[in-house]
Each structure stands twice: as C-alpha cells, then as structure tokens.
Coordinates of all heavy atoms in Angstrom, one line a residue:
D1 N -55.3 -131.1 -143.4 CA -56.0 -132.0 -144.2 C -55.4 -133.4 -144.2 O -56.1 -134.4 -144.1 CB -56.1 -131.4 -145.6 CG -57.0 -130.2 -145.7 OD1 -57.9 -130.1 -144.9 OD2 -56.7 -129.3 -146.5
D2 N -54.0 -133.4 -144.3 CA -53.3 -134.7 -144.2 C -53.6 -135.4 -142.9 O -53.8 -136.6 -142.8 CB -51.8 -134.5 -144.4 CG -51.5 -134.1 -145.8 OD1 -52.2 -134.3 -146.7 OD2 -50.4 -133.5 -146.0
F3 N -53.6 -134.5 -141.8 CA -53.8 -135.1 -140.5 C -55.2 -135.7 -140.4 O -55.4 -136.8 -139.8 CB -53.7 -133.9 -139.5 CG -53.9 -134.4 -138.1 CD1 -52.9 -135.1 -137.4 CD2 -55.0 -134.0 -137.4 CE1 -53.1 -135.5 -136.1 CE2 -55.2 -134.4 -136.1 CZ -54.2 -135.2 -135.5
K4 N -56.2 -135.1 -140.9 CA -57.6 -135.6 -140.9 C -57.7 -137.0 -141.6 O -58.4 -137.9 -141.2 CB -58.6 -134.6 -141.4 CG -58.8 -133.5 -140.5 CD -59.8 -132.5 -141.1 CE -59.9 -131.3 -140.1 NZ -60.9 -130.3 -140.6
E5 N -56.9 -137.1 -142.6 CA -56.8 -138.4 -143.4 C -56.2 -139.5 -142.5 O -56.6 -140.6 -142.5 CB -56.1 -138.3 -144.7 CG -56.8 -137.5 -145.7 CD -56.0 -137.4 -147.0 OE1 -55.3 -138.4 -147.3 OE2 -56.1 -136.4 -147.7
I6 N -55.2 -139.1 -141.8 CA -54.5 -140.1 -140.9 C -55.4 -140.6 -139.8 O -55.3 -141.7 -139.4 CB -53.2 -139.4 -140.3 CG1 -52.2 -139.1 -141.4 CG2 -52.6 -140.3 -139.2 CD1 -51.0 -138.3 -141.0
L7 N -56.3 -139.7 -139.4 CA -57.2 -140.1 -138.3 C -58.1 -141.3 -138.7 O -58.7 -141.9 -137.8 CB -58.1 -138.9 -137.8 CG -57.3 -137.8 -137.1 CD1 -58.3 -136.7 -136.8 CD2 -56.7 -138.3 -135.9
T8 N -58.2 -141.6 -139.9 CA -59.1 -142.7 -140.4 C -58.3 -144.0 -140.4 O -59.0 -145.0 -140.7 CB -59.7 -142.4 -141.8 OG1 -58.7 -142.2 -142.7 CG2 -60.6 -141.1 -141.7
A9 N -57.1 -144.0 -140.2 CA -56.2 -145.2 -140.3 C -56.7 -146.2 -139.2 O -56.9 -145.8 -138.0 CB -54.8 -144.9 -140.1
P10 N -56.9 -147.5 -139.5 CA -57.3 -148.4 -138.5 C -56.5 -148.5 -137.2 O -57.0 -148.6 -136.1 CB -57.3 -149.8 -139.3 CG -57.4 -149.4 -140.7 CD -56.7 -148.1 -140.8
K11 N -55.1 -148.5 -137.4 CA -54.3 -148.6 -136.2 C -54.5 -147.4 -135.3 O -54.5 -147.5 -134.1 CB -52.8 -148.7 -136.6 CG -52.4 -150.0 -137.2 CD -51.0 -150.1 -137.5 CE -50.6 -151.4 -138.1 NZ -49.2 -151.5 -138.4
L12 N -54.6 -146.2 -135.9 CA -54.8 -145.0 -135.1 C -56.2 -145.0 -134.4 O -56.3 -144.7 -133.2 CB -54.7 -143.7 -135.9 CG -54.7 -142.4 -135.1 CD1 -53.6 -142.4 -134.0 CD2 -54.6 -141.2 -136.0
K13 N -57.2 -145.5 -135.1 CA -58.5 -145.6 -134.5 C -58.5 -146.6 -133.3 O -59.1 -146.3 -132.3 CB -59.5 -146.1 -135.5 CG -60.0 -145.0 -136.5 CD -61.1 -145.5 -137.4 CE -61.7 -144.3 -138.1 NZ -63.1 -144.5 -138.4
F14 N -57.8 -147.7 -133.4 CA -57.6 -148.6 -132.3 C -57.0 -147.9 -131.1 O -57.4 -148.0 -130.0 CB -56.9 -149.9 -132.7 CG -56.6 -150.8 -131.6 CD1 -57.6 -151.6 -131.1 CD2 -55.4 -150.9 -131.0 CE1 -57.4 -152.5 -130.0 CE2 -55.1 -151.7 -129.9 CZ -56.2 -152.5 -129.5
W15 N -55.9 -147.2 -131.4 CA -55.1 -146.5 -130.3 C -56.0 -145.5 -129.7 O -56.0 -145.4 -128.5 CB -53.9 -145.9 -131.0 CG -53.0 -145.2 -130.0 CD1 -52.2 -145.7 -129.1 CD2 -52.9 -143.7 -129.9 NE1 -51.5 -144.7 -128.4 CE2 -52.0 -143.5 -128.9 CE3 -53.5 -142.7 -130.5 CZ2 -51.6 -142.2 -128.5 CZ3 -53.2 -141.4 -130.2 CH2 -52.2 -141.2 -129.1
M16 N -56.8 -144.8 -130.5 CA -57.6 -143.7 -129.9 C -58.7 -144.4 -129.0 O -59.0 -143.9 -127.9 CB -58.3 -142.9 -131.0 CG -57.3 -142.0 -131.7 SD -58.0 -140.9 -133.0 CE -59.5 -141.6 -133.5
S17 N -59.2 -145.5 -129.5 CA -60.3 -146.2 -128.7 C -59.7 -146.7 -127.3 O -60.4 -146.6 -126.3 CB -60.9 -147.3 -129.4 OG -59.9 -148.4 -129.6
Q18 N -58.4 -147.1 -127.3 CA -57.8 -147.5 -126.1 C -57.6 -146.4 -125.1 O -57.7 -146.6 -123.9 CB -56.4 -148.2 -126.4 CG -56.5 -149.5 -127.2 CD -57.4 -150.5 -126.5 OE1 -57.2 -150.9 -125.4 NE2 -58.4 -150.9 -127.2
L19 N -57.4 -145.2 -125.6 CA -57.3 -144.0 -124.8 C -58.6 -143.3 -124.6 O -58.6 -142.3 -123.9 CB -56.3 -143.0 -125.4 CG -54.8 -143.5 -125.4 CD1 -54.0 -142.4 -126.2 CD2 -54.3 -143.7 -124.0
E20 N -59.6 -143.9 -125.1 CA -61.0 -143.3 -125.0 C -61.0 -141.9 -125.6 O -61.6 -141.0 -125.0 CB -61.5 -143.3 -123.6 CG -61.6 -144.8 -123.0 CD -61.9 -144.8 -121.5 OE1 -62.1 -143.7 -120.9 OE2 -62.0 -145.9 -121.0
L21 N -60.4 -141.7 -126.7 CA -60.4 -140.4 -127.4 C -61.2 -140.4 -128.7 O -61.3 -141.5 -129.3 CB -58.9 -140.0 -127.7 CG -58.0 -139.8 -126.6 CD1 -56.6 -139.6 -127.1 CD2 -58.4 -138.7 -125.7
E22 N -61.8 -139.3 -129.0 CA -62.5 -139.1 -130.3 C -61.5 -138.4 -131.3 O -60.6 -137.7 -130.8 CB -63.7 -138.3 -130.1 CG -64.7 -138.9 -129.1 CD -65.3 -140.2 -129.6 OE1 -65.5 -140.4 -130.8 OE2 -65.6 -141.1 -128.8
S23 N -61.8 -138.5 -132.5 CA -60.9 -137.9 -133.5 C -61.0 -136.4 -133.4 O -60.0 -135.7 -133.6 CB -61.3 -138.3 -134.9 OG -62.7 -137.9 -135.2
E24 N -62.1 -135.8 -132.9 CA -62.2 -134.4 -132.7 C -61.3 -133.9 -131.6 O -60.7 -132.8 -131.6 CB -63.7 -134.0 -132.3 CG -64.7 -134.2 -133.4 CD -65.2 -135.7 -133.4 OE1 -65.1 -136.4 -132.4 OE2 -65.7 -136.1 -134.5
D25 N -61.1 -134.8 -130.6 CA -60.1 -134.5 -129.5 C -58.7 -134.3 -130.1 O -58.0 -133.4 -129.7 CB -60.1 -135.6 -128.4 CG -61.4 -135.8 -127.7 OD1 -62.1 -134.8 -127.6 OD2 -61.7 -136.9 -127.3
L26 N -58.3 -135.2 -131.0 CA -57.0 -135.1 -131.6 C -56.8 -134.0 -132.5 O -55.8 -133.3 -132.6 CB -56.7 -136.4 -132.3 CG -56.6 -137.7 -131.4 CD1 -56.2 -138.9 -132.2 CD2 -55.7 -137.5 -130.2
V27 N -57.9 -133.6 -133.2 CA -57.8 -132.4 -134.1 C -57.6 -131.2 -133.3 O -56.8 -130.3 -133.6 CB -59.1 -132.3 -135.0 CG1 -59.1 -131.0 -135.7 CG2 -59.1 -133.5 -136.0
S28 N -58.4 -131.1 -132.2 CA -58.3 -129.9 -131.3 C -56.9 -129.9 -130.7 O -56.3 -128.8 -130.6 CB -59.3 -130.0 -130.1 OG -60.6 -129.9 -130.7
L29 N -56.3 -131.0 -130.3 CA -55.0 -131.1 -129.7 C -54.0 -130.6 -130.7 O -53.1 -129.9 -130.4 CB -54.7 -132.5 -129.3 CG -53.2 -132.8 -128.8 CD1 -53.0 -132.0 -127.5 CD2 -53.0 -134.2 -128.6
F30 N -54.1 -131.1 -132.0 CA -53.2 -130.7 -133.0 C -53.2 -129.2 -133.1 O -52.1 -128.5 -133.2 CB -53.6 -131.3 -134.4 CG -52.6 -130.9 -135.5 CD1 -51.5 -131.6 -135.7 CD2 -53.0 -129.9 -136.3 CE1 -50.6 -131.2 -136.7 CE2 -52.1 -129.5 -137.3 CZ -50.9 -130.2 -137.5
H31 N -54.3 -128.5 -133.2 CA -54.4 -127.1 -133.3 C -53.9 -126.4 -132.1 O -53.3 -125.3 -132.2 CB -55.9 -126.7 -133.6 CG -56.3 -127.1 -135.0 ND1 -55.8 -126.6 -136.2 CD2 -57.3 -127.9 -135.4 CE1 -56.4 -127.1 -137.2 NE2 -57.3 -127.9 -136.7
M32 N -54.1 -126.9 -130.9 CA -53.5 -126.3 -129.7 C -52.0 -126.4 -129.7 O -51.4 -125.4 -129.2 CB -54.1 -127.0 -128.5 CG -55.5 -126.6 -128.1 SD -56.0 -127.3 -126.5 CE -56.2 -129.0 -126.9
M33 N -51.4 -127.5 -130.2 CA -50.0 -127.7 -130.1 C -49.2 -127.0 -131.3 O -48.1 -126.7 -131.2 CB -49.7 -129.2 -130.0 CG -50.2 -129.8 -128.7 SD -49.7 -131.5 -128.7 CE -48.0 -131.5 -128.5
D34 N -49.9 -126.8 -132.4 CA -49.3 -126.3 -133.6 C -48.9 -124.8 -133.3 O -49.6 -124.0 -132.8 CB -50.3 -126.3 -134.7 CG -49.8 -125.6 -136.0 OD1 -48.6 -125.6 -136.2 OD2 -50.6 -125.2 -136.8
N35 N -47.7 -124.5 -133.7 CA -47.1 -123.1 -133.4 C -47.4 -122.2 -134.6 O -46.7 -121.2 -134.7 CB -45.7 -123.2 -133.0 CG -44.8 -123.7 -134.1 OD1 -45.3 -124.0 -135.2 ND2 -43.5 -123.9 -133.8
G36 N -48.3 -122.6 -135.5 CA -48.6 -121.8 -136.7 C -48.0 -122.3 -138.0 O -48.3 -121.8 -139.0
T37 N -47.2 -123.3 -137.9 CA -46.6 -123.9 -139.1 C -47.4 -124.9 -139.8 O -47.2 -125.2 -140.9 CB -45.2 -124.5 -138.8 OG1 -45.4 -125.7 -137.9 CG2 -44.2 -123.6 -138.1
G38 N -48.4 -125.4 -139.1 CA -49.2 -126.5 -139.6 C -48.6 -127.8 -139.5 O -49.0 -128.8 -140.1
E39 N -47.4 -127.9 -138.8 CA -46.7 -129.2 -138.6 C -46.4 -129.4 -137.2 O -46.3 -128.5 -136.4 CB -45.3 -129.1 -139.4 CG -45.5 -128.9 -140.9 CD -44.2 -128.8 -141.6 OE1 -43.1 -128.8 -140.9 OE2 -44.2 -128.6 -142.8
L40 N -46.3 -130.7 -136.9 CA -46.1 -131.1 -135.5 C -45.4 -132.5 -135.5 O -45.8 -133.3 -136.3 CB -47.4 -131.2 -134.8 CG -47.5 -131.4 -133.3 CD1 -46.8 -130.2 -132.6 CD2 -48.9 -131.5 -132.8
S41 N -44.3 -132.6 -134.7 CA -43.6 -133.9 -134.7 C -44.5 -135.0 -134.1 O -45.4 -134.7 -133.3 CB -42.3 -133.8 -133.9 OG -42.6 -133.9 -132.5
L42 N -44.3 -136.2 -134.6 CA -45.2 -137.3 -134.2 C -45.0 -137.5 -132.7 O -45.9 -137.7 -131.9 CB -44.8 -138.6 -135.0 CG -45.6 -139.8 -134.6 CD1 -47.1 -139.6 -134.8 CD2 -45.1 -141.0 -135.4
D43 N -43.7 -137.4 -132.2 CA -43.4 -137.7 -130.8 C -44.2 -136.6 -129.9 O -44.8 -137.0 -128.9 CB -41.9 -137.6 -130.5 CG -41.2 -138.8 -131.1 OD1 -41.8 -139.8 -131.3 OD2 -40.0 -138.7 -131.3
A44 N -44.1 -135.4 -130.3 CA -44.7 -134.3 -129.5 C -46.3 -134.5 -129.5 O -46.9 -134.4 -128.5 CB -44.4 -133.0 -130.1
F45 N -46.8 -134.9 -130.7 CA -48.2 -135.1 -130.8 C -48.7 -136.3 -129.9 O -49.6 -136.2 -129.2 CB -48.7 -135.3 -132.2 CG -50.2 -135.6 -132.3 CD1 -51.0 -134.5 -132.2 CD2 -50.7 -136.8 -132.5 CE1 -52.4 -134.7 -132.2 CE2 -52.0 -137.0 -132.6 CZ -52.9 -135.9 -132.5
L46 N -47.9 -137.4 -130.0 CA -48.3 -138.6 -129.2 C -48.2 -138.4 -127.7 O -49.0 -138.8 -126.9 CB -47.4 -139.8 -129.6 CG -47.7 -140.3 -131.0 CD1 -46.7 -141.5 -131.3 CD2 -49.1 -140.8 -131.2
E47 N -47.2 -137.6 -127.3 CA -47.1 -137.2 -125.9 C -48.3 -136.4 -125.5 O -48.8 -136.7 -124.4 CB -45.8 -136.5 -125.7 CG -45.6 -136.1 -124.2 CD -44.3 -135.2 -124.0 OE1 -43.4 -135.3 -124.7 OE2 -44.4 -134.5 -123.0
G48 N -48.6 -135.4 -126.3 CA -49.8 -134.6 -125.9 C -51.1 -135.4 -125.9 O -51.9 -135.3 -125.0
A49 N -51.2 -136.3 -126.9 CA -52.5 -137.1 -126.9 C -52.5 -138.1 -125.7 O -53.6 -138.3 -125.2 CB -52.5 -137.9 -128.2
S50 N -51.4 -138.7 -125.3 CA -51.5 -139.6 -124.2 C -51.8 -138.9 -122.9 O -52.3 -139.5 -122.0 CB -50.1 -140.3 -124.1 OG -49.1 -139.4 -123.7
R51 N -51.6 -137.6 -122.8 CA -51.9 -136.8 -121.6 C -53.4 -136.5 -121.6 O -53.9 -136.0 -120.5 CB -51.1 -135.6 -121.5 CG -49.6 -135.9 -121.4 CD -48.8 -134.6 -121.2 NE -49.1 -134.1 -119.9 CZ -48.1 -133.8 -119.0 NH1 -46.9 -133.8 -119.4 NH2 -48.4 -133.3 -117.9
L52 N -54.1 -136.7 -122.7 CA -55.6 -136.4 -122.7 C -56.4 -137.4 -121.9 O -57.5 -137.1 -121.4 CB -56.1 -136.3 -124.1 CG -55.6 -135.1 -124.9 CD1 -56.2 -135.2 -126.3 CD2 -56.0 -133.8 -124.3
K53 N -55.9 -138.6 -121.7 CA -56.6 -139.6 -121.1 C -56.6 -139.4 -119.6 O -55.6 -139.1 -119.0 CB -56.1 -141.0 -121.4 CG -56.8 -142.1 -120.6 CD -56.6 -143.4 -121.3 CE -57.3 -144.6 -120.5 NZ -58.5 -144.4 -119.9
G54 N -57.8 -139.6 -118.9 CA -57.8 -139.5 -117.5 C -57.9 -138.0 -117.0 O -57.9 -137.1 -117.8
P55 N -58.1 -137.9 -115.7 CA -58.2 -136.5 -115.1 C -56.9 -135.7 -115.2 O -55.9 -136.3 -115.3 CB -58.6 -136.8 -113.7 CG -58.0 -138.2 -113.4 CD -58.1 -138.9 -114.7
A56 N -57.1 -134.4 -115.3 CA -56.0 -133.5 -115.3 C -55.2 -133.7 -114.0 O -55.8 -133.8 -112.9 CB -56.4 -132.1 -115.5
K57 N -53.9 -133.7 -114.1 CA -53.0 -133.7 -112.9 C -52.9 -132.3 -112.4 O -52.9 -131.3 -113.1 CB -51.7 -134.3 -113.2 CG -51.8 -135.7 -113.7 CD -50.4 -136.2 -114.1 CE -50.5 -137.6 -114.8 NZ -49.3 -138.0 -115.4
N58 N -52.6 -132.2 -111.1 CA -52.4 -130.9 -110.5 C -51.3 -130.1 -111.1 O -51.4 -128.9 -111.3 CB -52.2 -131.0 -109.0 CG -53.5 -131.3 -108.2 OD1 -54.6 -131.1 -108.7 ND2 -53.3 -131.9 -107.0
V59 N -50.2 -130.8 -111.5 CA -49.1 -130.2 -112.1 C -49.5 -129.6 -113.5 O -49.0 -128.5 -113.9 CB -47.8 -131.1 -112.2 CG1 -48.1 -132.2 -113.2 CG2 -46.6 -130.3 -112.5
D60 N -50.3 -130.3 -114.2 CA -50.8 -129.8 -115.5 C -51.6 -128.5 -115.3 O -51.5 -127.6 -116.1 CB -51.7 -130.9 -116.2 CG -50.9 -132.1 -116.6 OD1 -49.7 -132.0 -116.9 OD2 -51.4 -133.2 -116.6
L61 N -52.5 -128.6 -114.3 CA -53.3 -127.4 -114.0 C -52.4 -126.2 -113.6 O -52.7 -125.1 -114.0 CB -54.4 -127.7 -113.0 CG -55.4 -128.7 -113.4 CD1 -56.4 -129.0 -112.3 CD2 -56.2 -128.2 -114.6
A62 N -51.4 -126.5 -112.8 CA -50.5 -125.4 -112.3 C -49.8 -124.8 -113.5 O -49.6 -123.6 -113.6 CB -49.6 -126.0 -111.3
K63 N -49.3 -125.7 -114.4 CA -48.6 -125.2 -115.6 C -49.5 -124.3 -116.5 O -49.1 -123.2 -116.9 CB -48.1 -126.3 -116.5 CG -46.9 -127.1 -115.9 CD -46.5 -128.2 -116.9 CE -45.5 -129.1 -116.3 NZ -45.2 -130.2 -117.2
L64 N -50.7 -124.7 -116.6 CA -51.7 -124.0 -117.4 C -52.0 -122.6 -116.8 O -52.1 -121.6 -117.4 CB -53.0 -124.8 -117.6 CG -54.1 -124.1 -118.4 CD1 -53.6 -123.8 -119.8 CD2 -55.3 -125.1 -118.5
L65 N -52.2 -122.6 -115.5 CA -52.4 -121.4 -114.7 C -51.3 -120.4 -114.8 O -51.4 -119.2 -115.1 CB -52.8 -121.7 -113.3 CG -53.0 -120.5 -112.4 CD1 -54.2 -119.7 -112.9 CD2 -53.3 -120.9 -111.0
A66 N -50.1 -120.9 -114.7 CA -48.9 -120.1 -114.8 C -48.7 -119.5 -116.2 O -48.4 -118.3 -116.4 CB -47.6 -120.9 -114.4
W67 N -48.9 -120.3 -117.2 CA -48.9 -119.9 -118.6 C -49.9 -118.8 -118.8 O -49.7 -117.8 -119.4 CB -49.0 -121.0 -119.5 CG -49.1 -120.6 -121.0 CD1 -48.0 -120.4 -121.8 CD2 -50.2 -120.3 -121.7 NE1 -48.4 -120.0 -123.0 CE2 -49.8 -119.9 -123.0 CE3 -51.6 -120.3 -121.5 CZ2 -50.7 -119.6 -124.0 CZ3 -52.5 -120.0 -122.5 CH2 -52.0 -119.6 -123.7
S68 N -51.1 -119.0 -118.3 CA -52.2 -118.1 -118.5 C -51.9 -116.7 -117.8 O -52.1 -115.7 -118.4 CB -53.5 -118.7 -117.9 OG -54.5 -117.7 -118.0
Q69 N -51.3 -116.8 -116.6 CA -51.0 -115.6 -115.9 C -49.9 -114.8 -116.7 O -49.9 -113.6 -116.8 CB -50.6 -115.9 -114.5 CG -51.7 -116.3 -113.6 CD -51.3 -116.9 -112.3 OE1 -50.2 -117.3 -112.1 NE2 -52.2 -116.8 -111.3
K70 N -48.9 -115.5 -117.1 CA -47.8 -114.9 -117.9 C -48.3 -114.2 -119.2 O -47.9 -113.1 -119.5 CB -46.7 -115.9 -118.3 CG -45.9 -116.3 -117.1 CD -44.8 -117.4 -117.5 CE -44.1 -117.9 -116.3 NZ -43.1 -119.0 -116.7
T71 N -49.2 -114.9 -119.9 CA -49.8 -114.4 -121.1 C -50.6 -113.2 -120.8 O -50.6 -112.2 -121.5 CB -50.6 -115.5 -121.8 OG1 -49.8 -116.6 -122.1 CG2 -51.2 -114.9 -123.1
D72 N -51.4 -113.2 -119.7 CA -52.2 -112.1 -119.3 C -51.4 -110.9 -119.0 O -51.6 -109.7 -119.4 CB -53.1 -112.5 -118.1 CG -54.1 -111.4 -117.7 OD1 -54.8 -110.9 -118.7 OD2 -54.2 -111.1 -116.5
Y73 N -50.2 -111.1 -118.3 CA -49.3 -110.0 -117.9 C -48.7 -109.4 -119.2 O -48.7 -108.2 -119.4 CB -48.2 -110.5 -117.0 CG -47.1 -109.5 -116.8 CD1 -47.3 -108.4 -115.9 CD2 -45.9 -109.6 -117.5 CE1 -46.3 -107.5 -115.7 CE2 -44.9 -108.7 -117.3 CZ -45.1 -107.6 -116.4 OH -44.1 -106.7 -116.2
K74 N -48.3 -110.2 -120.1 CA -47.7 -109.8 -121.4 C -48.7 -109.0 -122.2 O -48.4 -107.9 -122.8 CB -47.1 -110.9 -122.2 CG -45.9 -111.5 -121.6 CD -45.4 -112.7 -122.4 CE -44.2 -113.4 -121.7 NZ -43.8 -114.6 -122.5
L75 N -49.9 -109.4 -122.3 CA -51.0 -108.7 -123.0 C -51.3 -107.4 -122.4 O -51.5 -106.4 -123.1 CB -52.2 -109.6 -123.1 CG -52.1 -110.7 -124.1 CD1 -53.4 -111.6 -124.0 CD2 -51.9 -110.3 -125.5
D76 N -51.4 -107.3 -121.0 CA -51.6 -106.1 -120.4 C -50.5 -105.1 -120.6 O -50.7 -103.9 -120.9 CB -51.7 -106.3 -118.8 CG -53.1 -106.8 -118.4 OD1 -54.0 -106.7 -119.2 OD2 -53.2 -107.3 -117.3
K77 N -49.3 -105.5 -120.6 CA -48.1 -104.7 -120.8 C -48.1 -104.2 -122.2 O -47.9 -103.0 -122.5 CB -46.8 -105.5 -120.5 CG -45.6 -104.7 -120.6 CD -44.4 -105.5 -120.1 CE -43.1 -104.7 -120.2 NZ -41.9 -105.5 -119.8
L78 N -48.4 -105.0 -123.2 CA -48.5 -104.6 -124.6 C -49.6 -103.6 -124.8 O -49.4 -102.6 -125.5 CB -48.7 -105.9 -125.5 CG -48.9 -105.6 -127.0 CD1 -47.6 -105.1 -127.6 CD2 -49.3 -106.9 -127.7
L79 N -50.7 -103.8 -124.2 CA -51.9 -102.9 -124.3 C -51.5 -101.5 -123.7 O -51.7 -100.5 -124.3 CB -53.1 -103.5 -123.7 CG -54.4 -102.6 -123.7 CD1 -54.8 -102.3 -125.2 CD2 -55.5 -103.2 -123.0
N80 N -50.9 -101.6 -122.5 CA -50.6 -100.3 -121.9 C -49.5 -99.6 -122.7 O -49.6 -98.3 -122.8 CB -50.1 -100.6 -120.5 CG -51.2 -101.0 -119.5 OD1 -52.3 -100.7 -119.8 ND2 -50.8 -101.7 -118.5
N81 N -48.5 -100.2 -123.2 CA -47.5 -99.6 -124.0 C -48.1 -99.0 -125.3 O -47.7 -97.9 -125.8 CB -46.4 -100.6 -124.4 CG -45.5 -100.9 -123.2 OD1 -45.5 -100.1 -122.2 ND2 -44.8 -102.0 -123.3
S82 N -49.1 -99.7 -125.9 CA -49.7 -99.3 -127.1 C -50.5 -98.0 -126.9 O -50.5 -97.1 -127.6 CB -50.6 -100.4 -127.7 OG -49.8 -101.5 -128.1
V83 N -51.3 -98.0 -125.8 CA -52.1 -96.9 -125.4 C -51.2 -95.7 -125.1 O -51.5 -94.6 -125.6 CB -53.0 -97.2 -124.3 CG1 -53.7 -96.0 -123.7 CG2 -54.1 -98.2 -124.7
A84 N -50.1 -95.9 -124.4 CA -49.2 -94.8 -124.1 C -48.6 -94.3 -125.3 O -48.4 -93.0 -125.5 CB -48.1 -95.3 -123.1
G85 N -48.2 -95.1 -126.3 CA -47.7 -94.7 -127.5 C -48.6 -93.9 -128.3 O -48.3 -92.8 -128.9
I86 N -49.9 -94.3 -128.4 CA -50.9 -93.5 -129.1 C -51.1 -92.2 -128.4 O -51.2 -91.2 -129.1 CB -52.2 -94.3 -129.1 CG1 -52.1 -95.6 -130.0 CG2 -53.4 -93.5 -129.6 CD1 -53.2 -96.6 -129.9
R87 N -51.2 -92.2 -127.1 CA -51.4 -90.9 -126.4 C -50.2 -90.0 -126.6 O -50.4 -88.8 -126.9 CB -51.6 -91.1 -124.9 CG -52.9 -91.7 -124.6 CD -53.1 -91.8 -123.1 NE -54.4 -92.4 -122.8 CZ -54.7 -93.2 -121.8 NH1 -53.8 -93.4 -120.9 NH2 -55.9 -93.6 -121.6
N88 N -49.0 -90.5 -126.6 CA -47.8 -89.7 -126.8 C -47.8 -89.2 -128.2 O -47.4 -88.0 -128.5 CB -46.5 -90.6 -126.6 CG -45.3 -89.8 -126.6 OD1 -45.3 -88.6 -126.3 ND2 -44.2 -90.4 -126.9
G89 N -48.2 -90.0 -129.2 CA -48.3 -89.5 -130.6 C -49.3 -88.4 -130.8 O -49.0 -87.4 -131.5
R90 N -50.4 -88.5 -130.1 CA -51.4 -87.4 -130.1 C -50.9 -86.1 -129.5 O -51.1 -85.0 -130.0 CB -52.7 -87.8 -129.4 CG -53.5 -88.8 -130.2 CD -54.8 -89.1 -129.5 NE -55.5 -90.1 -130.2 CZ -56.5 -90.8 -129.6 NH1 -56.8 -90.6 -128.4 NH2 -57.1 -91.7 -130.3
N91 N -50.2 -86.2 -128.4 CA -49.6 -85.1 -127.7 C -48.6 -84.3 -128.6 O -48.5 -83.1 -128.7 CB -48.9 -85.4 -126.4 CG -50.0 -85.8 -125.3 OD1 -51.2 -85.5 -125.5 ND2 -49.5 -86.5 -124.3
I92 N -47.8 -85.1 -129.3 CA -46.8 -84.5 -130.2 C -47.5 -83.8 -131.4 O -47.1 -82.7 -131.7 CB -45.8 -85.6 -130.8 CG1 -44.9 -86.2 -129.6 CG2 -45.0 -85.1 -131.9 CD1 -44.1 -87.4 -130.0
Q93 N -48.6 -84.4 -131.9 CA -49.3 -83.8 -133.0 C -50.0 -82.5 -132.5 O -50.0 -81.5 -133.3 CB -50.4 -84.7 -133.6 CG -49.8 -85.8 -134.4 CD -50.8 -86.7 -135.0 OE1 -52.0 -86.8 -134.5 NE2 -50.5 -87.5 -136.0
E94 N -50.5 -82.5 -131.4 CA -51.2 -81.3 -130.8 C -50.2 -80.2 -130.6 O -50.6 -79.0 -130.8 CB -52.0 -81.7 -129.5 CG -53.2 -82.6 -129.8 CD -53.8 -83.1 -128.5 OE1 -53.3 -82.8 -127.4 OE2 -54.7 -83.9 -128.6
Q95 N -49.0 -80.5 -130.1 CA -48.0 -79.5 -129.9 C -47.4 -79.0 -131.2 O -47.0 -77.8 -131.2 CB -46.9 -80.1 -129.0 CG -47.4 -80.4 -127.6 CD -46.3 -81.1 -126.8 OE1 -45.2 -81.3 -127.2 NE2 -46.7 -81.5 -125.6
G96 N -47.4 -79.7 -132.2 CA -46.7 -79.4 -133.4 C -47.5 -78.6 -134.3 O -47.9 -77.5 -134.4

C-alpha cells in the first residue's frame, strides 16, 4: 500500500515516463522481487526497474531459463519424495 502511494510522486512518474514504464509494471516488478516480506531495498528495486526498459537480453533469458529448470527439477523431486512417502506410509499401515 505504501508502495502504491509512492508511485503517484511526480519525480517517480517522470522517471517512469523516461523508461516508458507504467505504474502497473512497477507493481508487478515489486511483487516478483519481493521474497515474501513485503519489503524491498530501493537499490534492488531501481536496478530491477531499469532492466524492464528495452528488449530482454540473451543473458537475462538464459538466467530465467536456468532458474526455471532448477525450480522444475526441485518441484519434481519434492513431488516424487512426497508420493514415495505416502506410498511407504500406506504400506506400513497395511502390514501393521
């Protein structure tokens, strides 16, 4: 809520217009960068916002792809371990 108020500041509106960004872009960026605390350093936010202008760089896309693949692997592993644990628990109950 504080962040949405800041977006109405004239200096920030000017800066956003120079980067050809809309306030919705910055709100989305804030939510993407927030680690769940609802807080984000100004430096980190400004760095992320400045990267929104212009086309994505190949290195940015490569980082995103690598992160996505790692996350996919971790989720698959978690799901497989969970299913195995549930099956193991059922087998123990059936035997007992």
Side-chain angles (χ1 to χ4, degrees):
D1 292 327
D2 292 336
F3 181 71
K4 289 182 181 178
E5 288 180 35
I6 292 170
L7 291 178
T8 62
K11 286 184 181 181
L12 185 59
K13 284 188 168 209
F14 175 76
W15 180 75
M16 290 182 341
S17 71
Q18 297 302 303
L19 292 178
E20 299 174 3
L21 297 173
E22 300 294 326
S23 61
E24 295 83 23
D25 297 328
L26 297 182
V27 171
S28 295
L29 175 66
F30 179 85
H31 290 296
M32 284 188 286
M33 294 181 70
D34 176 28
N35 63 5
T37 64
E39 297 179 1
L40 190 60
S41 76
L42 181 59
D43 288 339
F45 181 75
L46 292 177
E47 180 183 334
S50 65
R51 295 183 75 130
L52 289 179
K53 180 160 174 38
K57 298 177 185 171
N58 285 338
V59 69
D60 294 329
L61 295 175
K63 286 179 187 177
L64 182 59
L65 180 60
W67 176 84
S68 176
Q69 289 171 337
K70 288 178 186 178
T71 301
D72 188 46
Y73 171 77
K74 290 176 183 178
L75 287 173
D76 280 345
K77 189 174 178 180
L78 177 64
L79 179 62
N80 289 335
N81 288 340
S82 297
V83 169
I86 291 169
R87 287 183 180 151
N88 189 27
R90 285 186 186 159
N91 290 340
I92 292 171
Q93 285 179 342
E94 290 171 2
Q95 293 173 3

